[in-house]
Short mmCIF file of all heavy atoms in Angstrom, two decimals:
data_model
loop_
_atom_site.label_atom_id
_atom_site.label_comp_id
_atom_site.label_asym_id
_atom_site.label_seq_id
_atom_site.Cartn_x
_atom_site.Cartn_y
_atom_site.Cartn_z
N MET A 1 -4.46 -6.36 16.86
CA MET A 1 -4.15 -5.68 15.57
C MET A 1 -5.00 -4.43 15.46
O MET A 1 -6.19 -4.45 15.75
CB MET A 1 -4.42 -6.63 14.41
CG MET A 1 -4.07 -6.01 13.05
SD MET A 1 -4.36 -7.13 11.71
CE MET A 1 -3.12 -8.35 12.04
N ALA A 2 -4.41 -3.36 15.05
CA ALA A 2 -5.14 -2.10 14.91
C ALA A 2 -6.10 -2.17 13.74
O ALA A 2 -5.87 -2.88 12.77
CB ALA A 2 -4.15 -0.94 14.74
N SER A 3 -7.19 -1.41 13.82
CA SER A 3 -8.17 -1.39 12.72
C SER A 3 -7.65 -0.53 11.59
O SER A 3 -6.74 0.28 11.75
CB SER A 3 -9.51 -0.83 13.23
OG SER A 3 -9.35 0.52 13.59
N ALA A 4 -8.28 -0.68 10.47
CA ALA A 4 -7.85 0.08 9.29
C ALA A 4 -8.08 1.55 9.49
O ALA A 4 -7.28 2.39 9.08
CB ALA A 4 -8.60 -0.41 8.05
N ASN A 5 -9.16 1.93 10.18
CA ASN A 5 -9.45 3.34 10.40
C ASN A 5 -8.41 3.98 11.29
O ASN A 5 -8.12 5.15 11.18
CB ASN A 5 -10.83 3.50 11.03
CG ASN A 5 -11.94 3.21 10.03
OD1 ASN A 5 -11.72 3.30 8.84
ND2 ASN A 5 -13.10 2.81 10.53
N ALA A 6 -7.85 3.19 12.20
CA ALA A 6 -6.85 3.74 13.13
C ALA A 6 -5.49 3.79 12.51
O ALA A 6 -4.57 4.38 13.06
CB ALA A 6 -6.82 2.91 14.41
N SER A 7 -5.28 3.17 11.41
CA SER A 7 -3.95 3.08 10.81
C SER A 7 -3.64 4.25 9.93
O SER A 7 -2.50 4.44 9.51
CB SER A 7 -3.83 1.78 10.00
OG SER A 7 -4.02 0.69 10.86
N GLY A 8 -4.58 5.03 9.58
CA GLY A 8 -4.31 6.21 8.74
C GLY A 8 -5.35 6.38 7.67
O GLY A 8 -6.36 5.70 7.61
N SER A 9 -5.06 7.34 6.79
CA SER A 9 -6.00 7.66 5.71
C SER A 9 -5.80 6.70 4.54
O SER A 9 -4.93 5.84 4.55
CB SER A 9 -5.78 9.10 5.25
OG SER A 9 -4.48 9.23 4.70
N GLU A 10 -6.61 6.94 3.48
CA GLU A 10 -6.56 6.07 2.30
C GLU A 10 -5.21 6.17 1.60
O GLU A 10 -4.76 5.20 0.98
CB GLU A 10 -7.68 6.46 1.34
CG GLU A 10 -7.80 5.56 0.12
CD GLU A 10 -9.00 5.92 -0.73
OE1 GLU A 10 -9.80 6.77 -0.31
OE2 GLU A 10 -9.11 5.33 -1.83
N GLU A 11 -4.50 7.30 1.74
CA GLU A 11 -3.21 7.46 1.09
C GLU A 11 -2.19 6.45 1.60
O GLU A 11 -1.29 6.01 0.89
CB GLU A 11 -2.68 8.88 1.31
CG GLU A 11 -3.55 9.97 0.66
CD GLU A 11 -3.00 11.34 0.92
OE1 GLU A 11 -2.00 11.45 1.65
OE2 GLU A 11 -3.57 12.33 0.40
N ASN A 12 -2.30 6.09 2.91
CA ASN A 12 -1.36 5.13 3.50
C ASN A 12 -1.56 3.72 2.99
O ASN A 12 -0.72 2.84 3.22
CB ASN A 12 -1.48 5.13 5.03
CG ASN A 12 -1.12 6.49 5.62
OD1 ASN A 12 -0.24 7.17 5.11
ND2 ASN A 12 -1.80 6.86 6.69
N PHE A 13 -2.69 3.46 2.33
CA PHE A 13 -2.98 2.12 1.84
C PHE A 13 -3.11 2.10 0.33
O PHE A 13 -3.73 1.20 -0.23
CB PHE A 13 -4.27 1.59 2.49
CG PHE A 13 -4.19 1.49 3.99
CD1 PHE A 13 -4.68 2.51 4.80
CD2 PHE A 13 -3.62 0.37 4.59
CE1 PHE A 13 -4.60 2.41 6.18
CE2 PHE A 13 -3.55 0.28 5.98
CZ PHE A 13 -4.04 1.29 6.77
N SER A 14 -2.51 3.08 -0.33
CA SER A 14 -2.63 3.17 -1.78
C SER A 14 -1.28 2.96 -2.44
O SER A 14 -0.25 3.45 -1.97
CB SER A 14 -3.18 4.55 -2.19
OG SER A 14 -4.46 4.73 -1.64
N CYS A 15 -1.30 2.25 -3.55
CA CYS A 15 -0.11 2.03 -4.38
C CYS A 15 0.14 3.28 -5.19
O CYS A 15 -0.79 3.82 -5.83
CB CYS A 15 -0.33 0.81 -5.27
SG CYS A 15 0.97 0.56 -6.50
N CYS A 16 1.39 3.76 -5.21
CA CYS A 16 1.70 5.00 -5.95
C CYS A 16 1.70 4.80 -7.46
O CYS A 16 1.78 5.78 -8.20
CB CYS A 16 3.05 5.55 -5.48
SG CYS A 16 4.45 4.52 -5.94
N ILE A 17 1.63 3.55 -7.89
CA ILE A 17 1.62 3.29 -9.34
C ILE A 17 0.18 3.28 -9.87
O ILE A 17 -0.16 4.00 -10.82
CB ILE A 17 2.33 1.96 -9.66
CG1 ILE A 17 3.81 2.06 -9.26
CG2 ILE A 17 2.20 1.64 -11.15
CD1 ILE A 17 4.59 0.79 -9.50
N CYS A 18 -0.69 2.46 -9.26
CA CYS A 18 -2.08 2.37 -9.72
C CYS A 18 -3.02 3.30 -8.97
O CYS A 18 -4.19 3.45 -9.35
CB CYS A 18 -2.59 0.93 -9.62
SG CYS A 18 -2.70 0.32 -7.93
N LEU A 19 -2.52 3.92 -7.86
CA LEU A 19 -3.30 4.87 -7.05
C LEU A 19 -4.54 4.24 -6.47
O LEU A 19 -5.54 4.92 -6.19
CB LEU A 19 -3.68 6.10 -7.89
CG LEU A 19 -2.51 6.88 -8.51
CD1 LEU A 19 -3.03 8.06 -9.32
CD2 LEU A 19 -1.54 7.34 -7.44
N ASP A 20 -4.52 2.94 -6.28
CA ASP A 20 -5.65 2.23 -5.68
C ASP A 20 -5.18 1.54 -4.40
O ASP A 20 -3.98 1.49 -4.11
CB ASP A 20 -6.19 1.18 -6.67
CG ASP A 20 -7.63 0.80 -6.34
OD1 ASP A 20 -8.13 1.26 -5.29
OD2 ASP A 20 -8.24 0.04 -7.12
N VAL A 21 -6.10 1.01 -3.60
CA VAL A 21 -5.74 0.31 -2.37
C VAL A 21 -4.87 -0.90 -2.74
O VAL A 21 -5.12 -1.58 -3.74
CB VAL A 21 -6.99 -0.12 -1.60
CG1 VAL A 21 -6.61 -0.89 -0.33
CG2 VAL A 21 -7.84 1.10 -1.24
N PHE A 22 -3.86 -1.15 -1.92
CA PHE A 22 -2.91 -2.23 -2.19
C PHE A 22 -3.62 -3.55 -2.45
O PHE A 22 -4.58 -3.91 -1.76
CB PHE A 22 -1.96 -2.42 -1.01
CG PHE A 22 -0.91 -1.35 -0.90
CD1 PHE A 22 -0.81 -0.56 0.24
CD2 PHE A 22 -0.01 -1.13 -1.94
CE1 PHE A 22 0.16 0.43 0.34
CE2 PHE A 22 0.97 -0.15 -1.83
CZ PHE A 22 1.05 0.63 -0.71
N ASN A 23 -3.10 -4.24 -3.46
CA ASN A 23 -3.55 -5.61 -3.76
C ASN A 23 -2.31 -6.49 -3.81
O ASN A 23 -1.47 -6.33 -4.70
CB ASN A 23 -4.30 -5.63 -5.10
CG ASN A 23 -4.87 -7.00 -5.40
OD1 ASN A 23 -4.99 -7.84 -4.51
ND2 ASN A 23 -5.20 -7.23 -6.67
N SER A 24 -2.18 -7.39 -2.82
CA SER A 24 -0.97 -8.22 -2.67
C SER A 24 0.27 -7.32 -2.59
O SER A 24 1.16 -7.37 -3.46
CB SER A 24 -0.84 -9.21 -3.83
OG SER A 24 -1.95 -10.08 -3.86
N PRO A 25 0.36 -6.47 -1.55
CA PRO A 25 1.48 -5.53 -1.45
C PRO A 25 2.81 -6.25 -1.19
O PRO A 25 2.87 -7.22 -0.42
CB PRO A 25 1.08 -4.65 -0.30
CG PRO A 25 0.18 -5.47 0.54
CD PRO A 25 -0.55 -6.36 -0.39
N VAL A 26 3.88 -5.75 -1.82
CA VAL A 26 5.25 -6.25 -1.62
C VAL A 26 6.14 -5.08 -1.27
O VAL A 26 5.84 -3.93 -1.62
CB VAL A 26 5.76 -6.99 -2.88
CG1 VAL A 26 4.95 -8.26 -3.15
CG2 VAL A 26 5.74 -6.06 -4.09
N SER A 27 7.27 -5.36 -0.57
CA SER A 27 8.21 -4.31 -0.15
C SER A 27 9.51 -4.46 -0.90
O SER A 27 10.01 -5.59 -1.12
CB SER A 27 8.48 -4.40 1.35
OG SER A 27 7.28 -4.23 2.08
N THR A 28 10.09 -3.34 -1.34
CA THR A 28 11.39 -3.34 -2.01
C THR A 28 12.49 -3.24 -0.96
O THR A 28 12.22 -2.88 0.20
CB THR A 28 11.47 -2.15 -2.98
OG1 THR A 28 11.29 -0.95 -2.24
CG2 THR A 28 10.37 -2.26 -4.05
N PRO A 29 13.74 -3.49 -1.31
CA PRO A 29 14.84 -3.37 -0.34
C PRO A 29 14.97 -1.98 0.26
O PRO A 29 15.47 -1.84 1.38
CB PRO A 29 16.07 -3.73 -1.18
CG PRO A 29 15.55 -4.64 -2.24
CD PRO A 29 14.20 -4.12 -2.58
N CYS A 30 14.46 -0.96 -0.43
CA CYS A 30 14.54 0.40 0.11
C CYS A 30 13.40 0.69 1.09
O CYS A 30 13.32 1.80 1.65
CB CYS A 30 14.58 1.43 -1.01
SG CYS A 30 13.13 1.36 -2.09
N GLY A 31 12.46 -0.24 1.28
CA GLY A 31 11.40 -0.08 2.25
C GLY A 31 10.07 0.45 1.72
O GLY A 31 9.14 0.65 2.50
N HIS A 32 9.95 0.67 0.42
CA HIS A 32 8.69 1.16 -0.14
C HIS A 32 7.82 -0.01 -0.59
O HIS A 32 8.33 -1.09 -0.92
CB HIS A 32 8.96 2.11 -1.31
CG HIS A 32 9.64 3.37 -0.88
ND1 HIS A 32 10.86 3.78 -1.40
CD2 HIS A 32 9.28 4.32 0.03
CE1 HIS A 32 11.22 4.92 -0.84
NE2 HIS A 32 10.28 5.26 0.06
N ASN A 33 6.50 0.26 -0.61
CA ASN A 33 5.53 -0.82 -0.89
C ASN A 33 4.76 -0.52 -2.19
O ASN A 33 4.39 0.63 -2.47
CB ASN A 33 4.55 -0.93 0.28
CG ASN A 33 5.23 -1.24 1.59
OD1 ASN A 33 5.86 -2.29 1.72
ND2 ASN A 33 5.13 -0.32 2.55
N PHE A 34 4.48 -1.61 -2.92
CA PHE A 34 3.74 -1.52 -4.19
C PHE A 34 2.91 -2.78 -4.34
O PHE A 34 3.18 -3.82 -3.71
CB PHE A 34 4.69 -1.41 -5.38
CG PHE A 34 5.69 -0.28 -5.26
CD1 PHE A 34 6.96 -0.53 -4.77
CD2 PHE A 34 5.36 1.00 -5.64
CE1 PHE A 34 7.87 0.50 -4.64
CE2 PHE A 34 6.27 2.04 -5.53
CZ PHE A 34 7.54 1.78 -5.02
N CYS A 35 1.89 -2.70 -5.20
CA CYS A 35 1.17 -3.91 -5.59
C CYS A 35 2.14 -4.81 -6.36
O CYS A 35 2.96 -4.32 -7.17
CB CYS A 35 -0.04 -3.59 -6.47
SG CYS A 35 -1.31 -2.61 -5.65
N ARG A 36 2.08 -6.15 -6.10
CA ARG A 36 2.99 -7.05 -6.78
C ARG A 36 2.87 -6.89 -8.30
O ARG A 36 3.87 -6.82 -9.02
CB ARG A 36 2.69 -8.50 -6.38
CG ARG A 36 3.54 -9.53 -7.14
CD ARG A 36 3.05 -10.94 -6.90
NE ARG A 36 3.37 -11.39 -5.56
CZ ARG A 36 4.55 -11.95 -5.22
NH1 ARG A 36 5.49 -12.09 -6.13
NH2 ARG A 36 4.77 -12.36 -4.00
N THR A 37 1.66 -6.84 -8.79
CA THR A 37 1.45 -6.75 -10.24
C THR A 37 2.00 -5.44 -10.79
O THR A 37 2.63 -5.41 -11.87
CB THR A 37 -0.05 -6.85 -10.56
OG1 THR A 37 -0.56 -8.07 -10.03
CG2 THR A 37 -0.30 -6.83 -12.07
#
């Protein structure tokens, strides 16, 4: 498994709603990811 540093910047691991690192991320049918809450 790749490390977090190799996977990209902080933007790739941030929820566009809360603008924080994903917490329990879920995917919608269109392929986008958000925190479940």
